[in-house]
Amino acid sequence: MKKSMSFFICGLFLASIATVAIYSCKVRAAAAESSGQMVLTLGHSLDTNHPVHKAMVFMGNRLNELSDGKVQLHIYPGSVLGSETECLEQVRNGALVMTKTSAAALENFEPIYSVFGLPYLFRSEEHFWNVLNGTIGKEMLQKAKGDKILGLCYYDAGSRNLYTVDTPIQSPDDMKNLKIRVMNSPTAIRMIECLGGSPTPIAWGELYTALGQGTVVGAENNMPSFTSNRHYEVCKHFTNDAHTMIPDVLCISLDIWNNFTPEVQNWVQQAADESCQYQRELWKKMTLESIEIAKNEGVTIYDVDKTPFVEKVKPMYDEIKDENELKLINEIREVK
């Protein structure tokens, strides 16, 4: 009973913090409007050291410069305004101007975004960015407009790779029956099944302990996440297979966007586009630093031939029946 009451009180405390933060946003916005400024609020779940947050700060500075101080960006990191999903819902309802979300989370609003989660869809990082910066990528940013969400730009979230405690993975044969932690996603689960492993959904915050206790013997994520969460302390084998490249998306409330003048829309879009380039540079630097950290901690990194991995996941593509998804996959593959 005491424990339940403790959780209840904790929940009330966290809810009150979020309420105060949202109220503070509104008060600041009202004060700014009275002084002739437009204040745009942006909430996200990352910490202030993350390349995406730093890119948002860069965006705010550029927006201030482009608008000659007429438009200000107020950023609320660390889930102050809610989780990734909660912030996305607030953007959808027009209670929050902008947020950052994984493209995978947008599947809940526009199913075609699930295509971005298919394994080995992108041949390389160059192919990935050619798709996102081209016609396909621009059209995808418009796909969730029916749910009042507009994408402004993409941020780099790197490639997801396999890593294990004891068993090096250099071919799909090495994955036979290995318990691999995955996101609670049908696509991620099916991928590990096709590769021969045993997919085990576990909350990200519980993964370090699960790896140490042997609940799972491996996982998959990008290199910066691998090092920042100190998974190198238990996992000494990292397979650079880049099975998925799922971008982050900077989203804005469509209703709010439509109320902007064309001039304000141009300022916001330009600042967002420039922040994308800045974030990509930061992410690349962070990834290289993470590789050095992993090597210094005794992690062996394997650059593998992806061909047998690609062959193993072909059933996932054969199972797709939706014509729009199949069309998008073919269009992506045709991009040079």
Side-chain angles (χ1 to χ4, degrees), residues 199-304:
T200 309
I202 293 176
W204 178 251
E206 300 171 8
L207 179 53
Y208 183 97
T209 301
L211 288 165
Q213 293 178 344
T215 306
V216 291
V217 298
E220 50 87 46
N221 214 315
N222 57 60
M223 178 59 83
S225 294
F226 174 70
T227 56
S228 63
N229 289 274
R230 306 180 72 86
H231 289 174
Y232 54 73
E233 293 180 346
V234 284
C235 293
K236 297 301 182 181
H237 303 280
F238 190 98
T239 302
N240 190 24
D241 68 305
H243 47 263
T244 53
M245 299 179 186
I246 305 175
D248 283 342
V249 183
L250 179 62
C251 299
I252 189 168
S253 165
L254 183 62
D255 286 343
I256 294 174
W257 174 264
N258 286 338
N259 283 325
F260 290 164
T261 65
E263 184 177 41
V264 172
Q265 289 181 350
N266 288 335
W267 289 336
V268 172
Q269 188 64 65
Q270 182 178 338
D273 290 340
E274 291 182 16
S275 76
C276 169
Q277 294 301 317
Y278 181 69
Q279 189 268 344
R280 286 178 62 185
E281 294 172 7
L282 292 179
W283 183 267
K284 184 175 181 179
K285 181 174 181 290
M286 187 178 185
T287 300
L288 292 174
E289 291 172 350
S290 297
I291 291 172
E292 289 306 308
I293 291 171
K295 288 180 177 179
N296 290 337
E297 292 292 336
V299 176
T300 302
I301 299 174
Y302 305 91
D303 291 317
V304 296

Side-chain angles (χ1 to χ4, degrees), residues 84-120:
E84 182 175 75
T85 301
E86 289 167 339
C87 282
L88 196 55
E89 282 290 349
Q90 290 177 56
V91 165
R92 184 187 187 194
N93 297 327
L96 180 64
V97 180
M98 283 182 272
T99 192
K100 186 283 308 178
T101 184
S102 168
L106 288 171
E107 289 180 40
N108 297 318
F109 303 96
E110 176 47 63
I112 202 164
Y113 267 99
S114 63
V115 168
F116 278 163
L118 289 170
Y120 308 106

Side-chain angles (χ1 to χ4, degrees), residues 26-45:
K26 293 179 178 178
V27 169
R28 292 186 186 187
E33 286 174 8
S34 66
S35 65
Q37 281 186 339
M38 177 185 290
V39 172
L40 309 181
T41 53
L42 194 166
H44 66 83
S45 58

Side-chain angles (χ1 to χ4, degrees), residues 16 80 105 114 140 144 149 151 170 172-174 177 202 207 260 290 333-334:
S16 67
V80 171
S114 63
M140 288 294 287
I149 299 170
Q170 299 185 68
D173 293 339
D174 298 326
N177 299 325
I202 293 176
L207 179 53
F260 290 164
S290 297
R333 285 174 168 169
E334 289 172 1

